[in-house]
């Protein structure tokens, strides 16, 4: 099954921001495009708005004047659904209500031809449920674009329970012909991106709710150590707290209130207070014109240790040893010990976040995971009230000597980046095991859909087969609610390597 021919007309129903974006994508690809909206005059206004955006593309030399004129000639507002009768693809981008979408597609079934592909851009509703009211649900498929649709390359092609393989394939190839990067996905709550991205927000909010760190510090650590484009607090302020919470609540409810997807009470309070982010001038941060920028906690200058004793290779943080040597600090190796830690001159230990807490040990400072320790500009440290001040000072001075800003947070198991990445990797393995998508498509979706620096499986391979399992297993011991319990898929993955003890 090949992509829809460019000479065939395509329709978009619903002319809000997303509908206009999808229409522009189809139009620039070369299709005749019909715009329809139930509110009189909106289709005409949308056509004018799209035309203005085409003008801006010409001004930026991204589109020729001739191509713009040809595209405008192919764009037609429709005053009645019946005007879509000859379309071979209809994409809806209307209100996120099941009854509204079902009624629309039911009306379309009586208008369009039997070979017309019907597509929903829903981000939170079940494609299966939307198609359940149709006479022929096999021709309904999800085409989930990301906003702004003309700029973001990812499209999740979602197959409902009754979607024909030919329909999904046709939609997939059409999205690719439009210059997009499609990924195939089963009809599951949140699809790929909104399902697997939940821990990015949830763990940041949980660290904040536990009083371990403030939003500005957590965001800075996620960006400067984790390599994420934005932190969770600034990103949800941009998205809108109401929008982000609604997606989280929808996924949580759809998974029968699975504790792994539990919404944040702190975010709920923001929404109740009307602090929705940039659009209201206040969210996690104050976005007023005169507001001072919230700054992350950064430790004062401390004296670096003269040497460290390396017990083991530090696992995913092995690169730190090379950086310490380059900084002129002596690294003494203890070949008889098989641990994975640094011993400081004070006798205290510096350990990569592993899901345990400092208070459990005599004198331990934890340091967080980094995407790339050489490029990271900030490192988070975690200590308890029992940690010796000299140990913490030496740990701070050590990372400062490596050219890093240091943020000291509370005694938080798994810290910030480590717990977030471990949970993302776990949900990704779980999704593959349940047939949601392939490893390759999940990695593609998370890199392109939410700009993650690495896909979950790329990250998992870099960190080591057992790393995520071990971190979550330790977190589960300290929080036995089930939130951090490793999935059966991750459990099997960890044991399949043969590196764990025990026999059948």
């Amino acid at each position: 099954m090949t992509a829809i021919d460019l000479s065939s007309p395509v329709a978009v129903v619903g002319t809000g921001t997303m509908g206009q974006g999808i229409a522009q994508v189809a139009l620039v690809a070369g299709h005749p495009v019909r715009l329809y909206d139930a509110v009189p005059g909106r289709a005409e206004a949308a056509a004018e708005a799209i035309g203005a955006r085409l003008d801006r593309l010409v001004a930026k030399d991204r589109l020729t004047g001739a191509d713009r004129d040809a595209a405008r000639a192919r764009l037609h507002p429709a005053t009645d659904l019946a005007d879509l009768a000859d379309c071979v693809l209809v994409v809806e981008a209307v209100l996120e209500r099941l009854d509204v979408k079902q009624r629309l597609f039911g009306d379309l079934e009586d208008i369009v031809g039997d070979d017309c592909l019907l597509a929903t851009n829903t981000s939170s509703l079940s494609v299966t449920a939307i198609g359940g009211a149709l006479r022929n649900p096999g021709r309904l498929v999800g085409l989930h674009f990301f906003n702004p649709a003309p700029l973001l390359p990812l499209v999740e092609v979602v197959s409902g329970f009754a979607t024909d393989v030919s329909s999904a394939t046709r939609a997939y190839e059409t999205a690719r012909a439009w210059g997009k990067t499609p990924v195939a996905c089963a009809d599951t709550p949140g699809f790929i991106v909104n399902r697997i991205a939940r821990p990015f927000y949830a763990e940041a909010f949980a660290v904040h709710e536990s009083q371990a760190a403030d939003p500005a510090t957590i965001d800075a650590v996620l960006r400067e150590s984790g390599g994420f484009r934005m932190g969770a607090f600034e990103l949800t302020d941009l998205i809108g707290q109401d929008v982000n919470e609604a997606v989280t609540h929808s996924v949580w409810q759809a998974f029968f209130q699975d504790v792994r997807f539990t919404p944040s009470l702190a975010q709920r309070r923001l929404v109740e207070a009307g602090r929705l982010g940039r659009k209201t001038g206040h969210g996690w941060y104050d976005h007023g014109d005169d507001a001072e920028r919230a700054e992350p906690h950064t430790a004062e200058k401390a004296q670096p240790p003269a040497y460290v004793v390396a017990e083991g290779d530090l696992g995913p943080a092995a690169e730190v040893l090379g950086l310490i040597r380059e900084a002129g600090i002596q690294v003494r190796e203890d070949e008889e010990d098989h641990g994975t830690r640094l011993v400081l001159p004070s006798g205290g230990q510096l350990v990569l976040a592993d899901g345990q807490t400092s208070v459990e040990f005599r004198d331990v400072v934890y340091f967080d995971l980094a995407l790339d320790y050489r490029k990271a500009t900030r490192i988070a440290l975690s200590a308890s009230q029992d940690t010796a001040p000299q140990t913490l000072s030496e740990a701070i001075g050590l990372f400062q000597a490596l050219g890093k800003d240091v943020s000291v947070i509370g005694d938080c198991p798994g810290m910030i980046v480590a717990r977030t990445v471990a949970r993302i990797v776990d949900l990704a393995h779980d999704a593959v095991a349940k047939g949601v998508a392939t490893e390759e498509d999940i990695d593609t979706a998370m890199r392109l859909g939410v700009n993650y620096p690495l896909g979950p499986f790329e990250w998992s391979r870099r960190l080591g087969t057992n790393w995520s399992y071990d971190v979550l297993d330790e977190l589960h011991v300290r929080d036995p609610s089930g939130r951090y319990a490793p999935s059966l898929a991750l459990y099997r993955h960890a044991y399949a390597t043969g590196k764990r003890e025990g026999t059948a």
Side-chain angles (χ1 to χ4, degrees), residues 225-238:
S225 183
F228 292 96
R229 186 75 61 86
M230 299 179 73
F233 297 91
E234 58 188 336
L235 180 55
T236 52
D237 265 4
L238 178 63

Side-chain angles (χ1 to χ4, degrees), residues 147-190:
N147 193 31
L151 297 180
L152 294 186
L154 184 69
V155 177
E156 292 177 320
V157 181
V158 186
S159 294
F161 184 78
T163 300
D164 292 335
V165 173
S166 60
S167 297
T169 303
R170 193 179 183 199
Y172 185 98
E173 293 300 333
T174 297
R176 185 156 62 178
W178 289 358
K180 296 301 181 181
T181 302
V183 292
C185 175
D187 185 21
T188 184

Side-chain angles (χ1 to χ4, degrees), residues 446-462:
M446 302 313 291
R447 282 189 287 100
L448 299 183
V450 279
N451 290 312
Y452 282 7
L454 291 175
F457 292 98
E458 294 174 308
W459 228 325
S460 181
R461 287 188 290 271
R462 177 183 290 196

Side-chain angles (χ1 to χ4, degrees), residues 121-459:
N121 184 57
T122 185
S123 61
S124 61
L125 299 176
S126 165
V127 174
T128 301
I130 294 171
L134 299 179
R135 294 190 303 272
N136 178 18
R139 63 166 158 173
L140 179 75
V141 65
L143 274 180
H144 181 216
F145 289 78
F146 288 74
N147 193 31
L151 297 180
L152 294 186
L154 184 69
V155 177
E156 292 177 320
V157 181
V158 186
S159 294
F161 184 78
T163 300
D164 292 335
V165 173
S166 60
S167 297
T169 303
R170 193 179 183 199
Y172 185 98
E173 293 300 333
T174 297
R176 185 156 62 178
W178 289 358
K180 296 301 181 181
T181 302
V183 292
C185 175
D187 185 21
T188 184
F191 309 143
I192 297 175
V193 172
N194 282 330
R195 171 179 177 149
I196 295 174
R198 299 323 331 140
F200 177 74
Y201 312 107
E203 294 311 308
F205 299 162
V207 172
H208 173 54
E209 289 174 353
S210 71
Q211 302 294 299
D214 61 275
T217 299
I218 296 169
D219 277 353
V221 172
L222 286 168
R223 290 193 313 269
E224 299 175 43
S225 183
F228 292 96
R229 186 75 61 86
M230 299 179 73
F233 297 91
E234 58 188 336
L235 180 55
T236 52
D237 265 4
L238 178 63
I239 294 169
Q241 299 302 331
D242 53 340
V243 174
N244 181 260
E245 196 221 16
V247 173
T248 299
H249 196 272
S250 174
V251 172
W252 176 61
Q253 290 283 22
F255 277 113
F256 307 105
Q257 299 185 358
D258 186 330
V259 68
R260 295 176 302 165
F261 301 101
T262 301
S264 163
L265 181 59
Q267 189 181 39
R268 175 95 292 264
R269 293 291 178 259
L270 274 186
V271 174
E272 289 173 341
R275 293 188 169 187
L276 307 182
R278 289 185 177 275
K279 61 187 175 184
T280 61
H282 208 304
W284 294 109
Y285 300 109
D286 184 349
H287 299 282
D289 293 338
D290 299 325
E292 293 185 8
R293 177 181 173 85
E295 296 295 334
H297 170 271
T298 301
E300 296 293 331
K301 189 70 176 176
Q303 186 70 25
Y307 68 90
V308 296
V309 179
E311 297 181 350
D313 63 2
L314 298 188
E319 187 178 25
V320 170
L321 293 176
L323 296 176
I324 294 173
R325 292 188 179 97
E326 291 173 19
I329 298 173
Q330 183 184 11
V331 177
R332 303 174 183 175
E333 298 188 16
D334 186 344
E335 297 180 356
E336 294 183 2
D337 197 296
H338 298 289
T340 53
R341 56 185 175 267
L342 296 176
V343 180
L344 299 165
S346 63
Q349 299 175 24
L350 187 57
V351 182
L352 176 64
D354 58 7
Q356 301 183 79
T357 59
S358 293
V359 75
E360 300 171 54
F361 304 98
R362 183 181 63 83
D363 197 11
V364 167
V365 173
Y366 280 102
F367 66 98
D368 208 352
L369 181 69
L371 173 69
D372 184 327
Y373 282 98
R374 183 173 293 278
K375 294 180 180 179
T377 58
R378 182 177 300 272
I379 295 293
L381 301 180
S382 174
S384 74
Q385 66 272 19
D386 297 328
T387 303
Q390 181 61 24
T391 297
L392 181 56
S393 178
E394 288 176 346
I396 292 171
L398 175 65
F399 279 105
Q400 288 175 339
L402 307 187
K404 318 299 183 188
D405 287 329
V406 175
S407 293
V408 180
I409 70 172
D411 190 14
C412 183
M415 300 193 67
I416 298 171
V417 180
R419 69 196 289 174
T420 299
V421 171
R423 287 207 60 213
I424 288 170
V425 168
D426 181 54
L427 288 187
H429 278 279
D430 185 55
V432 170
K434 292 177 178 174
V436 174
T438 65
E439 291 186 8
E440 181 181 3
D441 276 356
I442 287 175
D443 277 355
T444 298
M446 302 313 291
R447 282 189 287 100
L448 299 183
V450 279
N451 290 312
Y452 282 7
L454 291 175
F457 292 98
E458 294 174 308
W459 228 325

Side-chain angles (χ1 to χ4, degrees), residues 4-5 7-11 31 84-90 112 115-118 170:
I4 292 172
D5 188 271
S7 64
S8 301
V10 168
H31 288 277
L84 314 183
D86 63 338
C87 290
V88 296
L89 168 64
V90 179
V112 300
D115 62 342
C116 179
L117 183 64
L118 302 178
R170 193 179 183 199

